[in-house]
Amino acid sequence: MSRPPEQPAADHRGQRESLGAYTLGALAPAERAAVDAHLGSCAECREELARFAGLPGLLNHLSADEAAEGVVPPQLPLEAILRPAAAARRRTRRWLRAWQAVAVLAALALLVVVVPWPGGESPGQVLTAEPADPSLRIDASATVEPREWGMAVTVQADTLPTAAGYRLEAVAHDAHRTPVATWSATDPAPLRLTGSCYLAADELSHLELHGVDGDETDLLATFRG
Amino acid sequence: MGEHAAAGDPLAGTETGAWLRALHESYAGPLFVFAYRALGDRATAEEVVQDTVVRAWQHADRFDPSRASLGTWLFAIARNRIIDERRRRGARPREVTLEGAEVTAAAPFDAESLDRAVEAWQVADALSRLSADHRAAIVECHYRGRTVREAAERLGVPEGTVKSRLFYGLRALRVVLEEQGVVE
């Protein structure tokens, strides 16, 4: 095949952009012939085409409907399980293996258990919030009530520093930590909610309240008795 | 148990969270594809993935790397969960008919189905990272077997635009697959 001395730039560009359709076999016969002719004289396009060569085979790993609908879930909601599961596992001693099932349930439960606890039962232990930084205005307390499966923690907050969201964690005497509750900012601030965790009340050292903004978290306060 | 740790317990001396995270990153996608293909609905497939990870965590001491790879073990857990799900559904009329026959066909489990699920996931994941325009052009021309002209008509754009989207779409796809290590 004779090689044109100069490749018109516009033609090269047009033919090159046809290489995707060429690879997928979607060109009309005349267009296909034009690309073939161009390929004979353009090493750059031959190289580009070679790089596309394996793609149709890979695409065939999916059915047409799967490709059209996407078999990628919007977001696998596992992240929510990982942290509590990991915490529970760390804490679990071998002789406490039976605890694992309980811990999983607790971990799953705390995803949804941010509901008011029926008041008027045992008074529980009251912890008051100490700001992590003296400049932070915080007026909040937490009531910890032992339960058979761990403890219920009721937070009463009248003033909290501004944050998009909040996360309350329980910290054990051995520094092990586990989530208790997460919630979004409310307006006005007064708020009462109950979270839970599998930590036994007598294992609790203190609670930590973190402000969450995107990936950033800030320690806002610790709750101690 | 001691022998198990010696055999390479993935949890021994490691951060459980890191292990679960790695497990999630490596297998949640393929497990989802596997479950979705077997059950035909997203919500249940997601449940199966969650349950599989939780069960794996609960029974990590039963994992024996000398008998099966982590992937095979996880897929076996998922398969059992899928069988339960089908049994449960068998008692009732089908809720979902997303892909007709494909969905109702049994999902046999072997090493190959694991590989297929992983491959399918890689492509699905790569496609999901393309722009909607690029993806639509590839779906029309590759998966639906349409010509550029037909695709242009269906998408309501000039033929040149379809060509351009196919070209840049395939290029982007290639880059993603390279990043995934699927192609070199």
Side-chain angles (χ1 to χ4, degrees):
Chain A
M1 184 170 282
S2 69
R3 226 169 230 236
E6 268 182 55
Q7 193 65 50
D11 183 52
H12 166 71
R13 196 162 164 266
Q15 300 299 347
R16 192 184 63 141
E17 284 209 358
S18 295
L19 290 175
Y22 182 93
T23 301
L24 300 182
L27 290 178
E31 293 173 313
R32 187 174 181 87
V35 174
D36 277 332
H38 176 70
L39 283 169
S41 65
C42 182
E44 191 188 329
C45 282
R46 283 197 300 272
E47 205 173 300
E48 186 82 57
L49 184 67
R51 292 169 60 77
F52 284 164
L55 296 179
L58 287 168
L59 288 171
N60 287 338
H61 290 318
L62 285 185
S63 72
D65 286 341
E66 286 172 342
E69 303 209 4
V71 273
V72 185
Q75 197 188 2
L76 286 169
L78 280 166
E79 188 60 27
I81 288 184
L82 294 186
R83 197 178 308 146
R89 173 100 196 173
R90 252 198 319 279
R91 179 174 170 277
T92 306
R93 309 287 186 269
R94 290 203 187 277
W95 49 271
L96 272 179
R97 193 153 287 278
W99 253 90
Q100 287 184 346
V102 178
V104 171
L105 292 175
L108 291 170
L110 70 82
L111 301 176
V112 288
V113 177
V114 184
V115 295
W117 200 265
E121 287 182 14
S122 68
Q125 189 193 0
V126 178
L127 312 178
T128 47
E130 302 157 18
D133 182 305
S135 67
L136 294 172
R137 285 184 56 238
I138 293 179
D139 180 7
S141 65
T143 307
V144 175
E145 295 166 75
R147 293 277 186 260
E148 206 178 323
W149 39 259
M151 61 188 182
V153 180
T154 302
V155 178
Q156 173 75 48
D158 293 315
T159 312
L160 289 178
T162 310
Y166 301 91
R167 187 175 75 231
L168 188 68
E169 291 182 353
V171 182
H173 294 301
D174 66 358
H176 167 72
R177 53 182 63 229
T178 179
V180 174
T182 64
W183 65 93
S184 302
T186 56
D187 188 20
L191 150 100
R192 182 188 168 86
L193 59 81
T194 299
S196 62
C197 72
Y198 55 76
L199 210 63
D202 61 5
E203 290 179 289
L204 178 72
S205 160
H206 62 277
L207 299 169
E208 284 184 9
L209 177 66
H210 295 262
V212 183
D213 270 301
D215 292 336
E216 306 259 319
T217 61
D218 276 322
L219 177 63
L220 300 177
T222 53
F223 292 74
R224 293 175 193 276
Chain B
M1 207 158 280
E3 141 200 59
H4 172 55
D9 181 345
L11 292 175
T14 69
E15 182 75 19
T16 309
W19 185 77
L20 279 169
R21 205 168 298 280
L23 183 148
H24 175 220
E25 271 170 28
S26 306
Y27 293 103
L31 284 170
F32 176 78
V33 170
F34 182 63
Y36 180 75
R37 284 183 166 178
L39 296 166
D41 97 90
R42 285 171 170 281
T44 319
E46 285 185 22
E47 274 173 35
V48 168
V49 176
Q50 280 199 30
D51 287 358
T52 300
V53 171
V54 171
R55 285 187 196 188
W57 164 63
Q58 283 177 286
H59 302 301
D61 57 328
R62 290 188 208 162
F63 170 62
D64 180 353
S66 67
R67 287 180 50 208
S69 75
L70 181 58
T72 305
W73 183 63
L74 286 171
F75 274 66
I77 296 173
R79 182 196 49 180
N80 288 337
R81 175 67 173 72
I82 288 166
I83 290 170
D84 290 347
E85 185 63 34
R86 292 183 160 195
R87 231 172 248 153
R88 198 177 64 74
R89 281 188 189 181
R92 298 184 286 139
R94 286 186 50 76
E95 304 154 342
V96 190
T97 47
L98 240 178
E99 290 167 49
E102 243 179 277
V103 168
T104 50
F109 177 78
D110 49 38
E112 248 180 66
S113 50
L114 192 163
D115 289 345
R116 278 198 303 271
V118 172
E119 290 164 349
W121 164 256
Q122 286 166 332
V123 175
D125 184 44
L127 279 175
S128 77
R129 289 162 199 259
L130 304 187
S131 75
D133 285 343
H134 286 169
R135 194 166 50 243
I138 291 173
V139 167
E140 288 298 319
C141 292
H142 180 75
Y143 289 101
R144 307 284 186 213
R146 300 204 166 96
T147 63
V148 168
R149 176 170 304 172
E150 292 163 345
E153 231 168 77
R154 286 182 53 92
L155 298 172
V157 296
E159 288 182 37
T161 305
V162 172
K163 286 184 195 171
S164 166
R165 287 178 183 174
L166 289 174
F167 178 72
Y168 291 103
L170 286 187
R171 267 195 165 183
L173 184 69
R174 211 196 133 77
V175 169
V176 177
L177 291 169
E178 278 171 0
E179 281 168 3
Q180 288 177 341
V182 178
V183 295
E184 286 170 5

